[in-house]
Amino acid sequence: MHLPRQLGPLHDLPSTPEAYDAVLADVVEQALARLTPEGNLEHPDADDDIGDTSLGITSLLALAWQRSKDPRLPEAVHRSLAFHLRERVYTEDNPGYPNLTVRDSGLPYARYVLEAGAHPIGDWPSTVWALLQAVDILDLSDALVDDGQRAELLELARGYWRWLTEATFFNPQEAGNQAIGCVVGGLMLARHVPPAEAEPLRERALALYAEKIRAHRVLDRGALLPPEHGGAYDNNYGPISLSFLAQAHRISGAEMFAEDGDALARYIDARLTNGGFDNGGPRYSEQHSAFESVLGLRYFGARIGSDLGRYRGDTNWGRHAVKPDGGVDGHFAWMLVWQIQDTTPWHRTPSTAPARHRLRAGSVSVAFDRHMTPALVEAAGTYHLPAAVNRQHGFGPVLDGFLYCRPMGEIRVRDVHADGLTAKLVSKPVVGPDHVLRHVRSLYVTDGTSLWLTVAVERFAGTPYLLAGLPYAADDGDRVRRVAEGPVASAGALRLTHPAPQGPDHFDARAELTQEQAAFALAADPRGYGNPDEGWRHLVSSTAYEAEPAPGAPEHLQVFAVRYGPGGDFTPSFEGDLTVHTERFTAAIGAEDAHGVPELALTAC
């Protein structure tokens, strides 16, 4: 069983001018064959997310004409633009739309579903998308669109902007990508209106970003991020927000877009595994965007100097939106336009700068959550998620059903590079049910092929074990395959356990069920509207690797030692306060420095 959405790395898609011309040529042939006598370019199976789609195909035809001067295209653009202006502009309030601040404004908007009153909640983003398609056509319409149509389109774009910013609440779905997209639409529209109108419009767009988006960013893993459907980041919409920030910076030159894009890009780089797998978010916990993310990942990957293009996108949508039959859909077409116009090359090498919430070298990576507990462990192409025990999630020592990984105080982190090895030492104070403060020290060392995890804690009276991860998925060419075990070795006895109880709050990795499906089953609201991250937090137990304490540890400590990835016998030894000897390295954890961070000395064997 393969995960359905996370396919190939996005930087593997050719991005040469010739490759993009071939994409546009394919769109042209599909569009000309589809164009109805009325000028409609919508996919015949389109139902929702439809209000901007014919206009989106029109924008792609306009771009294709600018690049190829195909003589068939001016008439197709004229007819399809006339169709949208005639048939897809709505000025009467949609029955049931809940987010209006002005009734019967007469301003134009685009519908998410064409039928009146049928799922009107999506009209705000659909109008953002229609505005962006319209300003793209305005950008591309020189010598292609007659003055009358151009004036009508410009007036429509003005109306869309006013509906979004005057007749409704701004960003009613609390979706960062939609809100930043609206700002981009205003900035692009300002280039087409008279000078007396342009500067106030531009200032209004910048103010909306600063006051309605930037001022409400959410902190996660040390980064301030545009909120996405009520959370800090969503692995589908987050990279789309990055693309909107890239376009905002390209259009306006305003430094705040670059600063916020850099922060979001570094955050994505830290949470994204070496193999490009990621999961988590308040809307879609495993679904990945594709062409919608390319601009942002490419633009900001170059700015921060890291290979963000390793992100595994849904390459079924690698070039543009498609329906199940593979036919082109105009949804989000502006992203293809912008990525073709932007010539930033992919940055293809990893950043070597240490990052607090990331450990990465070679084919090994660990992404840490805000508590510096692994959120994802990758080694030998296998991905481990935090396991669950008694509704507690993470990696760490467990005694009598209590997981010692949630900090009670400041977390200390030290990064070391030595002799081809990369290491991170995490020290955190943890309080157990007995109210005793214990210091858990977790040492992560990798040579780029395997990952060694050593966890030391003051000796318990009982018999603890280390919760060492939920084996979940593995690379399989351009796919990610569900797995129920991984390459793990332990100095102490190692067991792979599966939950005995049945039900949605017990996740058995042997079942043909994705993390996303399980998370939505536990969410409070229906799939697509619930928060799968909140749902997943209700998980009581899961498949888990459990490692017994390693033999030969110092008397005052219990030490757990686990290796992820390939290797032979694993028989580490320990001495002193804590010096760890393995087949690959010696690591000595020393006294705290002047700032309270434990020293770490690392040498290769």
Side-chain angles (χ1 to χ4, degrees):
M1 174 184 171
H2 290 97
L3 301 184
R5 296 284 182 175
Q6 301 202 33
L7 306 177
L10 290 179
H11 63 199
D12 286 354
L13 292 169
S15 56
T16 62
E18 295 78 13
Y20 282 131
D21 283 336
V23 171
L24 289 174
D26 176 59
V27 170
V28 165
E29 296 307 320
Q30 288 193 54
L32 294 178
R34 179 186 300 169
L35 185 66
T36 68
E38 297 78 21
N40 189 351
L41 285 171
E42 292 161 1
H43 191 284
D45 295 335
D47 178 32
D48 55 16
D49 264 327
I50 191 174
D52 68 300
T53 60
S54 183
L55 197 61
I57 298 291
T58 304
S59 74
L60 294 176
L61 297 183
L63 179 60
W65 185 81
Q66 293 289 352
R67 293 169 70 90
S68 71
K69 296 299 188 285
D70 185 330
R72 301 173 296 171
L73 294 180
E75 175 63 17
V77 168
H78 173 79
R79 286 171 55 196
S80 60
L81 181 53
F83 167 80
H84 182 86
L85 294 170
R86 184 181 67 250
E87 303 289 345
R88 293 296 180 258
V89 177
Y90 298 87
T91 55
E92 294 182 356
D93 294 352
N94 199 353
Y97 185 70
N99 298 317
L100 292 175
T101 58
V102 177
R103 298 287 176 185
D104 302 315
S105 68
L107 293 170
Y109 65 93
R111 285 186 176 174
Y112 177 74
V113 174
L114 299 180
E115 181 185 351
H119 203 77
I121 194 70
D123 289 355
W124 202 86
S126 288
T127 304
V128 174
W129 309 157
L131 171 61
L132 293 170
Q133 315 285 25
V135 292
D136 268 354
I137 294 172
L138 290 171
D139 281 354
L140 298 164
S141 61
D142 288 346
L144 180 62
V145 173
D146 64 56
D147 290 346
Q149 267 195 331
R150 181 182 174 85
E152 192 175 354
L153 180 62
L154 177 57
E155 191 60 28
L156 175 63
R158 280 194 181 105
Y160 283 154
W161 172 255
R162 291 189 60 200
W163 188 86
L164 290 163
T165 59
E166 297 175 21
T168 70
F169 290 98
F170 184 80
N171 190 21
Q173 295 183 18
E174 297 183 350
N177 75 97
Q178 299 172 10
I180 305 169
C182 182
V183 168
V184 170
L187 294 171
M188 295 182 71
L189 177 61
R191 304 188 304 178
H192 295 284
V193 299
E197 184 184 346
E199 190 55 28
L201 200 163
R202 184 179 188 276
E203 290 303 317
R204 172 68 170 147
L206 294 173
L208 282 171
Y209 181 78
E211 297 166 10
K212 298 290 189 178
I213 304 171
R214 198 178 204 216
H216 298 279
R217 287 175 297 167
V218 180
L219 182 68
D220 186 46
R221 306 187 194 188
L224 284 171
L225 309 171
E228 189 54 67
H229 286 285
Y233 175 83
D234 185 283
N235 74 345
N236 182 28
Y237 291 126
I240 296 175
S241 285
L242 194 65
S243 287
F244 282 129
L245 288 168
Q247 182 68 359
H249 186 240
R250 291 179 68 234
I251 293 300
S252 72
E255 191 60 24
M256 63 180 173
F257 297 120
E259 292 171 358
D260 294 355
D262 287 349
L264 177 54
R266 291 192 178 97
Y267 173 88
I268 292 173
D269 193 32
R271 69 175 289 144
L272 193 62
T273 58
N274 176 76
F277 174 80
D278 185 23
N279 76 314
R283 189 69 180 272
Y284 295 114
S285 61
E286 281 189 344
Q287 294 191 42
H288 272 203
S289 51
F291 79 99
E292 315 101 306
S293 303
V294 165
L295 174 66
L297 295 170
R298 197 171 66 193
Y299 188 85
F300 283 104
R303 281 185 57 90
I304 70 169
S306 194
D307 56 338
L308 295 185
R310 69 187 188 276
Y311 178 95
R312 283 186 179 268
D314 182 353
T315 50
N316 290 321
W317 278 35
R319 298 304 194 179
H320 45 67
V322 298
K323 289 298 184 183
D325 66 358
V328 62
D329 186 308
H331 187 47
F332 265 59
W334 66 85
M335 285 295 192
L336 178 57
V337 173
W338 300 344
Q339 67 170 275
I340 290 175
Q341 292 172 332
D342 180 64
T343 57
T344 303
W346 283 112
H347 185 98
R348 295 180 179 274
T349 55
S351 169
T352 57
R356 180 178 175 89
H357 295 91
R358 179 194 71 218
L359 175 71
R360 183 184 174 202
S363 61
V364 171
S365 60
V366 184
F368 295 89
D369 67 14
R370 63 193 179 93
H371 294 314
M372 290 306 296
T373 297
L376 267 173
V377 169
E378 172 195 22
T382 300
Y383 304 101
H384 295 80
L385 303 177
V389 57
N390 288 345
R391 211 183 293 277
Q392 304 160 93
H393 300 198
F395 289 72
V398 176
L399 180 67
D400 297 331
F402 186 86
L403 173 60
Y404 289 78
C405 72
R406 295 171 299 281
M408 181 66 73
E410 283 300 313
I411 305 168
R412 314 297 178 130
V413 178
R414 184 176 293 279
D415 289 281
V416 172
H417 296 269
D419 297 340
L421 301 168
T422 303
K424 187 183 292 286
L425 175 62
V426 177
S427 306
K428 62 174 78 170
V430 178
V431 172
D434 57 3
H435 300 280
V436 173
L437 185 70
R438 289 178 170 83
H439 294 271
V440 178
R441 292 176 291 175
S442 301
L443 173 64
Y444 304 83
V445 180
T446 180
D447 61 358
T449 301
S450 295
L451 172 73
W452 289 263
L453 168 60
T454 306
V455 178
V457 64
E458 290 90 345
R459 186 168 289 275
F460 294 102
T463 306
Y465 65 87
L466 180 73
L467 195 67
L470 158 63
Y472 179 68
D475 293 340
D476 187 11
D478 281 345
R479 304 297 301 273
V480 179
R481 176 172 45 86
R482 280 280 284 107
V483 297
E485 59 183 347
V488 179
S490 172
L494 181 70
R495 54 185 176 268
L496 179 62
T497 64
H498 305 285
Q502 302 294 307
D505 50 358
H506 302 279
F507 187 81
D508 191 327
R510 297 169 298 182
E512 289 196 356
L513 186 71
T514 67
Q515 187 271 347
E516 179 185 38
Q517 291 168 328
F520 268 116
L522 294 168
D525 296 307
R527 182 180 176 86
Y529 304 97
N531 184 331
D533 274 7
E534 285 185 357
W536 187 252
R537 281 193 282 271
H538 293 300
L539 192 71
V540 174
S541 65
S542 74
T543 292
Y545 275 111
E546 299 176 356
E548 298 289 346
E555 253 182 41
H556 64 295
L557 295 175
Q558 267 166 329
V559 178
F560 308 88
V562 173
R563 183 186 63 210
Y564 302 86
D569 293 340
F570 182 48
T571 55
S573 60
F574 314 94
E575 61 182 358
D577 184 55
L578 191 58
T579 297
V580 182
H581 301 281
T582 74
E583 72 280 14
R584 186 66 180 83
F585 64 86
T586 294
I589 300 174
E592 296 177 354
D593 65 12
H595 303 287
V597 181
E599 299 283 0
L600 176 62
L602 184 66
T603 56
C605 297

